[in-house]
Amino acid sequence: MLTLTPETKTLSPFPFLYNPMIRTQNPNPKILISLQKKNFSPPRTTPHCKSHYQNERGVEFDTGGTFFRHESATGRDLGVLAAALYKQKKGQLRVIDAMCGCGVRSLRYLVEANADFVLANDANEEYRGVIVKNLAKIDKGFGDGRRWIVSHFDANSVMTECYLQKDFFDFVDVDSFGSNSSFLRSAFGAIKMDGLLYITSTDGFSSGGHRPYQSLAAYGAYVRPMPYSNEVGLRMLIGGAVREASVLGFHVTPLFSYYSYHGPVFRVMLRVNWGKLTDNRHYGFITYCHQCGNSQTFSWDELSLISCPCSNAKKFMHDRKSLLNIVANFQGLRSVVVSGPLWTGPLHNATYITEVLHLAELWGWVGNGIGTDLEKLLRLMIDESDPKLLCGYIKLDEVASRAKVNSPPLRTMMNTMHKEGYAASRSHIVSNAIKTNCTMTECIRIAKDLQR
Ligand SMILES: C[S@@+](CC[C@H](N)C(=O)[O-])C[C@H]1O[C@@H](n2cnc3c(N)ncnc32)[C@H](O)[C@@H]1O
């Protein structure tokens, strides 16, 4: 229970939320006692279901009858590498796996990232037998000094309980179905400062711009169809976290963002710290003009200037009454669509990804012809981190169709762009697309020149 002294009452209704000392001090594992009191029943047998053994990076586990997707292995690899890096740097690692399924992530955080403690939670009690069976391989699963516990609460309840017990975690993994926005607040409540938050969304409809009111409700972003909707999905997820963090007095920094075609799944690793974002230049609007194919980004301050140079319907917005009014007016331009507010800054931190790559090399996960997909992905992420690159990507098919030429080879196109002084990188999302600061108009000109 919260005990409020008269002083803290006047300062804030949540004294420990805003007390940096409490948020950075050593862990206080009260959550163990609290959960045990509430619902920590002894492992019960699950309804009989066939064992189904899997192996990821040499770690064996049973998926039983739980929800498990083999295709999410790369997302799990990235999470484990980030957790292990954290442990190396900070010397400790306590993890909440808020939606653990069969417990594969919890197991991998314990085995591969050497986590000190993992709280493995899944709302579905029927998964208990499988989760416990998987984690029982770890020493110190039971008794004093235990390294893991299993619980079956709604993820929001378990993370809120951590917050109420002032038991903050280094690494919070929320691997949800659909949109994860309803878990963001409690996840921020449970995390230590400078801790890592790994979030997921499988809401491809909202990022595709097909449900703008749903994306508005979930992430505060009115998203319209754009040719690079999957990157928009990542930017929507980060933008939603930026906003929610800001409400609570925190700010987040994206360390890497990963889109996977299987699902589709959008994953983002965020570092959480104190203080509101003072620099909001990375939180704004993206426009795409169907007429000329050009994209632009606009900050909040520039909202009234949104227009497309090609558009004969050039319109300067002076109506600042409401975001919806502005965006709705823009849909009236027909050729120009506006989405936002979203994260418009870098999707990854190149220094961080380089560290991840080195660790993956050290573990033998990449290099020597092994794990080439992961290596390719990490190298693409490093390239995509160039701050000069604009939001979105340009698909070569679209360039070819607008230029009325054959699709130019990607490597040749990028080399020419580099020679002309543009920044250009491949995208980890689409194989035949280029991220660049070159406009579509210039891309068309280059494609035509190459054809001659
Ligand atoms: C995407 S699966 C997790 C997969 C797992 N993390 C993995 O990597 O294999 C989502 C899990 O969340 C659980 N779940 C759904 N809603 C939940 C909630 N509100 N709180 C906690 N768990 C929930 C489901 O039972 C399911 O096992």
Side-chain angles (χ1 to χ4, degrees), residues 226-443:
M226 292 183 167
Y228 39 84
S229 61
N230 293 327
E231 190 180 303
V232 168
L234 291 172
R235 296 186 177 282
M236 181 178 80
L237 188 57
I238 304 171
V242 165
R243 188 185 64 140
E244 193 68 51
S246 176
V247 169
L248 298 168
F250 305 139
H251 69 265
V252 294
T253 319
L255 297 176
F256 61 78
S257 316
Y258 169 53
Y259 165 80
S260 164
Y261 161 81
H262 303 284
V265 184
F266 304 87
R267 293 183 200 277
V268 178
M269 183 69 74
L270 302 165
R271 183 177 280 142
V272 182
N273 269 298
W274 280 109
K276 296 202 183 196
L277 211 60
T278 42
D279 172 6
N280 64 2
R281 85 197 130 115
H282 293 322
Y283 185 59
F285 299 83
I286 305 180
T287 66
Y288 175 78
C289 176
H290 285 285
Q291 197 166 309
C292 67
N294 278 323
S295 282
Q296 296 177 82
T297 51
F298 291 89
S299 69
W300 282 91
D301 299 336
E302 296 162 333
L303 256 182
S304 59
L305 302 173
I306 290 179
S307 69
C308 182
C310 87
S311 176
N312 50 17
K314 249 188 209 176
K315 199 164 174 181
F316 292 86
M317 306 304 298
H318 297 293
D319 181 358
R320 282 175 178 263
K321 271 184 205 149
S322 76
L323 169 63
L324 270 183
N325 259 355
I326 292 166
V327 175
N329 273 344
F330 257 90
Q331 308 321 322
L333 286 183
R334 287 181 183 275
S335 65
V336 181
V337 288
V338 182
S339 291
L342 304 156
W343 176 256
T344 56
L347 291 174
H348 327 278
N349 176 322
T351 316
Y352 186 81
I353 304 283
T354 308
E355 287 176 26
V356 170
L357 182 60
H358 287 160
L359 184 61
E361 278 164 357
L362 196 70
W363 285 0
W365 287 10
V366 302
N368 308 319
I370 315 163
T372 47
D373 283 352
L374 182 65
E375 180 162 6
K376 204 170 129 191
L377 173 69
L378 291 171
R379 293 198 186 281
L380 279 176
M381 285 176 169
I382 293 171
D383 291 349
E384 282 182 323
S385 310
D386 184 343
K388 293 193 285 302
L389 299 170
L390 301 178
C391 293
Y393 41 76
I394 292 183
K395 287 185 194 159
L396 288 187
D397 299 351
E398 189 184 346
V399 176
S401 129
R402 286 180 183 274
K404 298 192 174 51
V405 295
N406 292 331
S407 195
L410 187 122
R411 195 40 68 192
T412 319
M413 189 77 186
M414 278 180 53
N415 286 344
T416 316
M417 286 168 154
H418 285 147
K419 272 187 210 145
E420 296 199 9
Y422 293 110
S425 132
R426 294 183 63 176
S427 156
H428 85 273
I429 298 175
V430 178
S431 58
N432 76 333
I434 297 177
K435 284 184 69 61
T436 181
N437 54 357
C438 176
T439 60
M440 175 62 88
T441 320
E442 280 301 290
C443 286

Side-chain angles (χ1 to χ4, degrees), residues 165-185:
Q165 296 300 327
K166 302 178 205 169
D167 188 1
F168 303 115
F169 282 69
D170 303 281
F171 191 104
V172 177
D173 185 332
V174 186
D175 187 20
S176 54
F177 300 127
S179 134
N180 76 348
S181 56
S182 58
F183 301 104
L184 280 175
R185 186 163 292 206

Side-chain angles (χ1 to χ4, degrees), residues 67 76 99-101 104-105 122-123 127 153-155 175 177 183:
F67 179 91
R76 288 189 281 270
M99 298 189 174
C100 71
V104 52
R105 284 165 191 249
D122 195 285
Y127 290 2
F153 296 100
D154 168 63
D175 187 20
F177 300 127
F183 301 104

